[in-house]
Amino acid sequence: MKYYPYLRGKQFELIALREMCSFMDNKDIISPIIEPVKKGNTTLTKTIDCLKEHGICFNLILNPQDGDHRRNDDAFDALVNFVLPAIGDYANYHPSFIIDESVNIDWIFNTIADRRLRSVTLVINQLPKDDAAIDRLLETGKISQLVLSQTDSSVRRLSRRFRLIGDIIMLEDKFNTKSKNADYANPDDEPFSEDHLFFVEEGYSGFSDYLTVGNVYNEGGFLPYAVAIHLTYFEGDNIRVHHFVSDSNDDNEDVPGKVAEALRKLIPFINAREIDTLGCNQFRHIQSTGAYPGLGSIKKLSILNHIELVYDYFTR
């Protein structure tokens, strides 16, 4: 695999993965990392079913650090009991665990052993206080992939040490998160990523990012003063991101009107560049019908567009 998009298991992020299945003819390019954030999420099980049906490899985090399951071993156990039956005997997936300073390494050891997990992915955001615990996990022979956060220099230095055990994937947050949506208007266009160009040269087997969502997790649910649609696109071989921001941003009334304002900027942009992704075509449909699909659907299309752009790059 080359690209490992990192997604929290919120409803519209999971729906984006289901819609992704429609263009994933080549199964050797994209392997999403899913961090579930909701308890008893039937959207998650439906997404697992879709990924299985299309033979897509995925990574499912069993100790989420955000949302309903955050840092609670009992909640982790409940999640494992919920998702493993949905996965069943499907072999083309990686049970995955986040590693940072606070995780219960013993719980990870026990879960791998008790559930007879294989081909495990470790997402290493920080080194644990017991650094030797990583070596003990590797010595189990069950670890096949390491996703290394590029924000922690001590984690980055581990790439050579772990090179022989399996695939090493670089993870970096490429999205420049702002405190308010209106702030994305200046600048409204900026570089996004060159990782697709250099990950092999830098000694990695794949790369990962948080797409156009960013690593900052929030529950959402509030009405915004401004609507911002974040759209990645290629300029040459480089990926850039353009932010289409509404104009009437003095209050949080008429959100559908704000979406329409942003779309009036987005549609000429994608038409001029002849961007023909599934996400962009759905943006065109929304604008032509005047329908308001909800902010979750807008985020879904931004995610879907980014995944398809990267997929198309590697299938040229």
Side-chain angles (χ1 to χ4, degrees):
M1 301 298 171
K2 296 177 174 65
Y3 180 45
Y4 296 74
Y6 193 112
L7 292 160
R8 269 60 182 237
K10 298 174 79 171
Q11 179 181 9
F12 286 99
E13 297 179 10
L14 294 172
I15 294 174
L17 291 180
R18 296 215 298 268
E19 295 189 16
M20 172 197 76
C21 294
S22 67
F23 58 75
M24 281 271 290
D25 294 329
N26 187 327
K27 307 298 191 293
D28 298 326
I29 293 175
I30 293 176
S31 178
I33 302 171
I34 306 169
E35 180 181 358
V37 293
K38 298 294 183 183
K39 290 181 180 177
N41 190 345
T42 57
T43 306
L44 174 60
T45 55
K46 289 179 181 177
T47 301
I48 290 172
D49 288 343
C50 183
L51 295 171
K52 289 166 54 180
E53 179 184 348
H54 288 83
I56 293 172
C57 179
F58 63 94
N59 307 263
L60 185 65
I61 290 174
L62 301 179
N63 66 332
Q65 301 301 293
D66 287 307
D68 295 344
H69 308 285
R70 190 174 187 268
R71 304 181 191 282
N72 184 317
D73 291 351
D74 290 337
F76 296 162
D77 287 332
L79 174 63
V80 171
N81 291 331
F82 179 70
V83 298
L84 289 190
I87 294 170
D89 59 359
Y90 186 67
N92 194 21
Y93 94 105
H94 298 276
S96 307
F97 299 92
I98 292 174
I99 303 291
D100 63 21
E101 290 181 332
S102 64
V103 298
N104 184 343
I105 298 290
D106 289 336
W107 181 86
I108 295 175
F109 271 110
N110 294 335
T111 301
I112 291 174
D114 295 345
R115 304 286 179 158
R116 299 180 180 179
L117 301 179
R118 299 177 297 171
S119 193
V120 171
T121 296
L122 299 182
V123 180
I124 305 181
N125 292 330
Q126 294 174 310
L127 292 183
K129 294 177 182 178
D130 178 10
D131 189 8
I134 295 291
D135 291 314
R136 294 200 303 274
L137 279 172
L138 297 180
E139 288 166 2
T140 65
K142 306 297 185 182
I143 312 301
S144 64
Q145 294 188 134
L146 296 174
V147 180
L148 302 184
S149 170
Q150 301 298 291
T151 59
D152 188 313
S153 60
S154 62
V155 170
R156 290 200 304 271
R157 287 195 296 270
L158 296 178
S159 59
R160 290 183 182 176
R161 174 177 159 195
F162 295 147
R163 191 73 58 192
L164 297 179
I165 69 103
D167 291 332
I168 311 292
I169 297 116
M170 60 188 296
L171 168 62
E172 189 165 3
D173 186 1
K174 295 295 183 178
F175 187 71
N176 183 19
T177 302
K178 305 289 183 68
S179 59
K180 297 183 298 183
N181 281 344
D183 294 340
Y184 289 108
N186 186 24
D188 64 359
D189 195 278
E190 53 191 331
F192 186 81
S193 179
E194 296 179 341
D195 287 349
H196 58 291
L197 298 173
F198 301 115
F199 72 94
V200 174
E201 179 182 315
E202 294 176 5
Y204 295 92
S205 56
F207 67 99
S208 177
D209 59 37
Y210 298 93
L211 304 100
T212 52
V213 181
N215 188 28
V216 178
Y217 176 77
N218 62 73
E219 292 289 345
F222 58 90
L223 293 177
Y225 275 63
V227 166
I229 303 175
H230 313 292
L231 193 88
T232 50
Y233 67 99
F234 271 100
E235 187 173 84
D237 282 337
N238 296 319
I239 300 178
R240 298 184 63 85
V241 60
H242 198 97
H243 311 288
F244 303 92
V245 181
S246 58
D247 298 311
S248 55
N249 304 328
D250 295 330
D251 56 47
N252 61 359
E253 297 180 1
D254 192 18
V255 174
K258 297 175 190 292
V259 170
E261 290 172 353
L263 284 175
R264 281 196 289 270
K265 300 175 182 179
L266 182 148
I267 299 302
F269 183 92
I270 62 176
N271 286 346
R273 287 161 179 79
E274 299 181 340
I275 303 174
D276 193 34
T277 62
L278 179 61
C280 282
N281 286 334
Q282 290 188 38
F283 276 129
R284 290 184 176 100
H285 177 74
I286 292 168
Q287 201 265 350
S288 66
T289 61
Y292 170 59
L295 294 176
S297 290
I298 296 297
K299 184 174 83 167
K300 177 202 73 174
L301 297 182
S302 175
I303 290 169
L304 192 60
N305 172 76
H306 182 71
I307 293 175
E308 187 170 358
L309 280 178
V310 177
Y311 176 82
D312 286 347
Y313 174 82
F314 287 113
T315 54
R316 291 176 182 174

